């Protein structure tokens, strides 16, 4: 199934650490790596840490009906709850709340308004009632909860992910830049770090978080719980635009093709939703339950891929995607990356070929959203895999080059071999001299393909 999903268009696979045992996850990662060898292409493994889960305690009868206007108390009494109270086993919340704050229960289905707060007791008024059962989730949207983004479980899961060669780590429950800094310290450069933007406090400090993260995810499900749902579309655009401007990959996730969990085809509204994220310039769009538990996983991936191809084939896509202005930094690498995009469009090149060790040059070029595919050539497997979240990239692991002539020859061969040009087409090459030195991007070269490169290489 993983092979089918990859061939249908999936560039990356998310491993959700909220469910299942480590042995199960290790088997999935091993299957992905085996598939890589079979198809001869790198794929990306993103391990998604669960983060803190705020939940109420248990009820004597298993559930209660909260009535609009009634008083309801959250306390630290371990006794089973009833219609008037229940335990809240998260002492950090008691000191953070003030009267007037909202508490959301069971993914926002019920709303409580804080009336009074004591060290061991939160008195609330029920604004939106409903049936509340054991261990239902609680969201605190109006305050920054003094809790770390990583629990003991997350630290254990992170160690497992790094041991098993995860390419990206997704950090949940991000509220402030310090959460990202702590995760980055623990990762120690062994994987790239993606911050999930799912809380209002993270949106407020978005640029600071982006400075420390390698990428961000618009986690629309949780944002839609903690904020009015009508605010999510504008926040999605804001997060995508900010990430693009700062040169960081951005993923749009949650409920993209939700109906395909049970149906072989999506609704027209869902298709439009996915297309909007692509028109906005997101680097990646992510399926969740559609491919994790749905009845039509291959069809969902195929549909997502088809939507992306259709959007990119739209004559107006270039203007829409460049509505967000990305100003290059005053560096040689940024200037050349910006120029590569302009040159490729001016001369109708069929591809930009990038030689990179760390992937930084590829990120700079992808930031410009070039009008042609970006072929990334790297000797490092880790770099080829991490690039799977970047916009418009096709990564190939290959031996490094040692001379200018070897660089040109390899770029031409690889463009032909991977179907990114034919005889007579031109490609743009960007690299750094001396070769094999990270951060030395200083060469931009245009060549024409003759079609003889593969024949000559095979003959030799």
């Amino acid at each position: 199934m993983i092979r089918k999903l990859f061939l249908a268009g999936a560039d990356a696979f998310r491993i959700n650490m909220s469910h299942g045992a480590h042995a199960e996850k290790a088997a999935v990662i091993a299957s992905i790596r085996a598939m890589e060898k079979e198809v001869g292409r790198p794929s990306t493994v993103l391990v998604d840490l669960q983060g803190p889960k705020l939940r109420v305690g248990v009820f004597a009868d298993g559930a209660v009906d909260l009535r609009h206007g009634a008083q309801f108390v959250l306390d630290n009494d371990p006794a089973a709850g009833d219609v008037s109270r229940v335990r809240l086993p998260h002492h950090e919340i008691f000191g953070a709340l003030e009267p007037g704050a909202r508490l959301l229960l069971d993914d926002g289905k019920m709303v409580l308004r804080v009336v009074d707060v004591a060290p061991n007791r939160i008195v609330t008024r029920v604004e939106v009632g409903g049936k509340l059962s054991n261990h239902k989730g609680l969201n605190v949207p109006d305050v920054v909860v003094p809790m770390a983004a990583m629990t003991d479980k997350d630290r254990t899961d992170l160690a497992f992910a790094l041991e098993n060669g995860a390419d990206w780590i997704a950090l949940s429950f991000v509220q402030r830049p310090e959460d990202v800094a702590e995760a980055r310290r623990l990762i120690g450069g062994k994987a790239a770090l993606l911050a999930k933007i799912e809380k209002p406090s993270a949106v407020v400090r978005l640029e600071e978080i982006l400075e420390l993260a390698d990428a961000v995810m618009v986690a629309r499900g949780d944002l839609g719980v903690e904020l009015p749902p009508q605010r999510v579309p504008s926040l999605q655009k804001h997060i995508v635009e900010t990430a693009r401007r700062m040169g960081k990959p951005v993923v749009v996730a949650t409920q993209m093709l939700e109906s395909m969990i049970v149906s072989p085809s999506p609704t027209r509204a869902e298709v439009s939703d996915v297309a909007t994220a692509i028109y906005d310039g997101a680097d990646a769009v992510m399926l969740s339950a559609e491919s994790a538990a749905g009845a039509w996983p291959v069809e969902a991936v195929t549909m997502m891929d088809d939507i992306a191809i259709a959007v990119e084939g739209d004559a107006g896509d270039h203007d829409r995607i460049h509505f967000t202005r990305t100003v290059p930094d005053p560096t040689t690498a940024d200037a050349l990356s910006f120029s590569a995009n302009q040159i490729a469009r001016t001369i109708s090149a069929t591809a930009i070929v990038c030689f990179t060790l760390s992937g930084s040059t590829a990120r700079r070029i992808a930031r410009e959203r070039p009008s042609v595919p970006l072929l990334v050539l790297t000797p490092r497997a880790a770099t080829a895999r991490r690039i799977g979240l970047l916009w418009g990239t096709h990564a190939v692991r290959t031996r490094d080059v040692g001379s200018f002539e070897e660089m040109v020859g390899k770029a031409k061969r690889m463009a032909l071999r991977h179907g990114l040009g034919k005889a007579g087409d031109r490609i743009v090459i960007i690299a750094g001299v001396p070769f094999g030195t990270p951060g030395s991007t200083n060469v931009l070269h245009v060549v024409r393909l003759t079609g003889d490169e593969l024949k000559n290489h095979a003959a030799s």
Side-chain angles (χ1 to χ4, degrees), residues 14 287-294 297:
R14 168 180 171 253
L287 296 168
S288 300
E290 302 94 329
S291 53

Side-chain angles (χ1 to χ4, degrees), residues 6 36 39 67 74 102 114 131 136 155 159 199 251 254 258 265 310 324 330 358 374 402 429 436 445-446:
F6 182 81
E36 270 188 338
V39 302
R67 302 290 184 180
L74 303 165
R102 290 175 303 148
V114 175
K131 184 177 182 179
K136 284 300 181 183
R155 292 169 184 267
K199 299 187 71 63
V251 181
T254 319
E258 186 84 352
S265 59
T324 296
S358 67
L374 173 58
I429 305 171
H445 190 59
V446 178

Side-chain angles (χ1 to χ4, degrees), residues 2 24 26 107 125 156 170 175 190 193 197 210 220 228 297 314 319 324 332 334 364 387 400 420 428 450 460:
I2 286 170
E24 297 171 4
D107 289 335
R125 186 75 57 194
T156 301
Q175 299 185 96
K190 296 177 181 177
L193 176 60
I197 307 301
L210 274 163
R220 306 184 307 176
D314 179 2
D319 292 337
T324 296
T332 301
D334 260 44
R364 288 187 177 99
I387 281 169
D400 205 0
L420 298 179
V428 178
T450 66
S460 61

Side-chain angles (χ1 to χ4, degrees), residues 221-391:
D222 287 289
L223 272 177
V225 170
E226 301 215 355
L227 291 166
Q230 64 270 22
R231 286 196 58 196
V232 174
S234 60
L235 281 178
Q236 174 178 313
K237 290 183 180 295
H238 169 64
I239 296 167
V240 171
E241 179 181 349
T242 304
R244 286 187 55 192
R245 181 166 43 80
M246 297 182 68
K248 301 295 177 79
V250 54
V251 181
V252 176
T254 319
Q255 297 177 334
M256 302 213 79
L257 297 175
E258 186 84 352
S259 67
M260 291 194 74
I261 296 172
V262 296
S263 171
S265 59
T267 66
R268 301 302 177 265
E270 288 168 339
V271 172
S272 180
D273 177 43
V274 174
T276 296
I278 298 168
Y279 276 123
D280 288 345
D283 288 80
V285 284
M286 190 182 92
L287 296 168
S288 300
E290 302 94 329
S291 53
W296 307 93
V298 177
E299 290 78 4
V301 172
T302 301
M303 176 56 65
M304 189 81 95
D305 194 57
D306 288 345
I307 296 168
I309 291 170
V311 169
E312 291 175 353
D314 179 2
D317 176 53
H318 181 269
D319 292 337
R320 289 189 180 96
I321 208 169
H322 287 93
F323 182 79
T324 296
R325 188 164 176 257
T326 54
V327 179
D329 295 331
T331 64
T332 301
D334 260 44
L336 290 179
S337 299
F338 178 80
S339 299
N341 178 32
Q342 301 301 312
I343 291 170
R345 187 166 175 80
T346 301
I347 67 173
S348 299
T350 57
I352 297 172
V353 182
C354 162
F355 289 82
T356 183
L357 281 175
S358 67
S360 62
T361 302
R363 286 191 295 273
R364 288 187 177 99
I365 300 171
R367 173 189 180 187
E368 301 302 325
R369 302 299 190 258
S371 55
V372 296
L374 173 58
L375 176 59
V376 182
L377 305 180
T378 179
R380 294 181 179 174
T383 297
R385 288 167 174 165
R386 289 182 192 180
I387 281 169
L389 291 190
L390 278 183
W391 189 94

Side-chain angles (χ1 to χ4, degrees), residues 392-415:
T393 54
H394 182 86
V396 176
R397 186 186 179 192
T398 182
R399 288 194 300 270
D400 205 0
V401 294
S403 68
F404 187 86
E405 291 75 16
E406 189 182 355
M407 174 196 78
V408 173
K410 175 162 282 191
K412 294 165 78 172
R413 286 196 307 275
M414 289 297 182

